[in-house]
Amino acid sequence: MNFLHTADWHLGQTFYQYDRYQEHQHFLEWLLQTIEKQSTDVLLISGDVFDTANPSVAATKQFYHFLHQATERFPALQIVAIAGNHDSPVRLEMPAPLLENTHIHLVGYVRRTTDKQIDYNRLILPLFSGDKVAAYLLAVPFLRLGDYPKSEENPADYAQGVAAFYAEITRQAVAVAQGKPLIAMGHLHASGAEINDDDTAERPIIGGIESISTANFPDALQYVALGHIHKAQALGGTTHIRYAGSPIPLSFAEKNYQHQVIAFSLEEGKVQHIESLPIPLHTPLLSIPDTYRPAEEVLNALMELPDTAPTDNTPYLEVKVLLNEPAPELKSSIFRAIAHKQVRLARIDVRYLHATAASTDALQSELTLRDLQPVEVLERVYQNKYHEDLPATYRTLFEEALNHLSEV
């Protein structure tokens, strides 16, 4: 059996004011070609199919059109997608009744049995080679607060609860599999994962309490297909516990990532031939300059850009400026400098060399609010009002409220 491990598609993302439909479509068309070239039997999508819990009509159609194309071209292809923290579990599973007689599985959330126990069996899926079951897949979506078994010693310990979830579902899968290989999916933050310090998209999901050790994945799992971290990487010195990464750069911090999918095969009951398949970049991300420089130098650098008309894959531009004090005319000067350049201005990132804290905060808030996660906005508001850090209790309650809203 041949597998492709993908994750973090974030269909429907708006990159600042720009729609990314064409970039995602370029990836999906490449993915169909890759499925054919690799003779893929199983496609894994490890969460964050969509960028928001309420995706646009265009993004939703794009996903279902891909599923239609994939199943029409490759009738035996098995596709499994789990919900990530950006996805609405209910919305992802909504078309499930229409897919009952297909090889497509959309797993949004953890269900409970009539006696309130976690229904692990629903998440243990058989994978077929022809008419025979060749392996079993543990399709574990992003685990929200309350989805996992709670310990009597520390019922609020998220990481311990997730570890207990994987231990128990693996134990039950071993009994079901009767010697057949086990592969797991997950959407989580693993400890030791390499993250760009400037990337707001990859910040911890539940306040830093959710980092899962690779040691928490049982040895019985031959491959662990993870999502959430956008930089493709293997974890903990292993080759089989991996983040596939995002297929396109979702922030300027990701512009130098090697975006890829992971291919591997199952031969004689063992996972083998794990390899990275680079994804061709559709639209570059450009930072001018590479480091923060004074406004005059930045404007001169912008003037040196080529004078050509924009196209569908015109680079997105981030302008990085170092100032001593606020410059009201900066934005207008930048617009004039790039008026006829082959770039699309996405972001003006300002840093101050010598400035009061108040003026810095005011300008930075205006320029970077769209980069912040909701909980970060809450932290800043609380800090400004009460002059102390947001208590952990409030943060947990806020995250629970966000998770509840994403399920609506």
Side-chain angles (χ1 to χ4, degrees):
M1 296 185 72
N2 296 323
F3 291 74
L4 281 182
H5 167 204
T6 75
D8 296 281
W9 291 10
H10 287 267
L11 299 179
Q13 190 207 32
T14 299
F15 192 63
Y16 299 89
Q17 71 268 33
Y18 300 106
D19 178 79
R20 310 195 78 181
Y21 184 92
Q22 293 300 329
E23 294 171 78
H24 277 120
Q25 192 59 36
H26 178 263
F27 159 66
L28 295 176
E29 291 170 0
W30 174 87
L31 184 58
L32 288 171
Q33 295 171 4
T34 303
I35 290 170
E36 182 173 18
K37 183 178 180 180
Q38 296 288 320
S39 300
T40 302
D41 300 296
V42 182
L43 172 65
L44 306 177
I45 311 171
S46 296
D48 284 354
V49 177
F50 298 105
D51 191 57
T52 66
N54 187 21
S56 67
V57 172
T60 305
K61 284 185 176 180
Q62 189 174 40
F63 179 55
Y64 295 135
H65 183 61
F66 167 80
L67 294 181
H68 172 72
Q69 286 184 302
T71 54
E72 186 174 53
R73 289 179 58 177
F74 315 108
L77 178 66
Q78 299 161 83
I79 302 175
V80 183
I82 60 171
N85 59 300
H86 280 249
D87 297 311
S88 164
V90 174
R91 285 181 181 273
L92 186 67
E93 285 201 13
M94 198 172 295
L98 301 175
L99 303 174
E100 287 181 355
N101 296 321
T102 72
H103 301 301
I104 301 173
H105 302 275
L106 305 179
V107 182
Y109 56 94
V110 176
R111 295 185 183 178
R112 299 271 174 168
T113 60
T114 54
D115 58 352
K116 307 300 182 183
Q117 299 302 307
I118 296 173
D119 188 357
Y120 291 105
N121 288 331
R122 176 178 173 268
L123 307 178
I124 302 172
L125 306 177
L127 298 177
F128 291 89
S129 177
D131 296 331
K132 297 182 179 180
V133 176
Y136 283 86
L137 178 69
L138 283 57
V140 182
F142 169 63
L143 298 176
R144 289 168 163 79
L145 299 174
D147 283 343
Y148 47 83
K150 295 181 179 180
S151 69
E152 296 181 359
E153 298 81 12
N154 189 1
D157 191 325
Y158 179 84
Q160 184 177 352
V162 173
F165 190 102
Y166 275 94
E168 179 58 23
I169 193 173
T170 302
R171 185 187 70 79
Q172 295 194 25
V174 167
V176 171
Q178 297 183 344
K180 291 183 172 63
L182 298 180
I183 295 167
M185 300 175 73
H187 192 92
L188 49 81
H189 193 289
S191 56
E194 185 178 342
I195 302 173
N196 192 310
D197 292 336
D198 296 328
D199 199 339
T200 59
E202 295 180 331
R203 293 187 185 280
I205 307 168
I206 308 180
I209 64 173
E210 77 279 15
S211 294
I212 311 302
S213 170
T214 55
N216 293 140
F217 295 110
D219 293 338
L221 302 175
Q222 291 202 29
Y223 187 90
V224 181
L226 296 178
H228 178 56
I229 302 301
H230 295 169
K231 183 174 184 178
Q233 57 192 286
L235 295 173
T238 69
T239 58
H240 72 288
I241 304 176
R242 287 180 174 260
Y243 285 107
S246 57
I248 66 173
L250 298 168
S251 73
F252 281 101
E254 300 177 25
K255 65 180 182 291
N256 294 322
Y257 288 0
Q258 177 59 69
H259 299 275
Q260 58 193 248
V261 300
I262 309 300
F264 64 94
S265 61
L266 194 61
E267 299 178 12
E268 298 180 355
K270 299 292 183 182
V271 168
Q272 302 182 44
H273 310 302
I274 300 174
E275 63 172 330
S276 302
L277 305 178
I279 302 170
L281 181 64
H282 179 273
T283 303
L285 274 62
L286 180 64
S287 295
I288 293 184
D290 291 332
T291 58
Y292 300 94
R293 304 298 300 166
E296 184 176 354
E297 292 185 31
V298 173
L299 293 173
N300 289 336
L302 294 174
M303 294 292 290
E304 294 177 1
L305 290 170
D307 292 325
T308 50
T311 62
D312 287 342
N313 59 351
T314 297
Y316 299 117
L317 174 64
E318 172 190 49
V319 180
K320 306 174 83 167
V321 187
L322 183 66
L323 297 177
N324 289 319
E325 58 185 11
E329 295 297 322
L330 176 63
K331 197 171 187 179
S332 297
S333 299
I334 291 173
F335 276 122
R336 287 194 297 270
I338 64 171
H340 303 289
K341 307 300 182 181
Q342 190 181 358
V343 291
R344 288 179 283 187
L345 180 62
R347 180 175 188 238
I348 302 173
D349 190 5
V350 175
R351 294 291 185 269
Y352 287 84
L353 185 59
H354 301 293
T356 64
S359 63
T360 302
D361 290 344
L363 185 55
Q364 286 288 69
S365 296
E366 177 185 0
L367 294 174
T368 64
L369 181 60
R370 74 182 73 209
D371 294 331
L372 299 176
Q373 297 296 320
V375 70
E376 294 177 290
V377 178
L378 175 63
E379 288 175 335
R380 293 191 179 203
V381 171
Y382 191 94
Q383 177 71 36
N384 289 338
K385 185 172 183 178
Y386 299 105
H387 307 291
E388 61 182 37
D389 293 336
L390 179 71
T393 302
Y394 290 170
R395 181 174 183 131
T396 300
L397 290 172
F398 185 75
E399 293 286 358
E400 288 179 351
L402 285 181
N403 289 335
H404 176 72
L405 287 174
S406 71
E407 297 172 3
V408 176

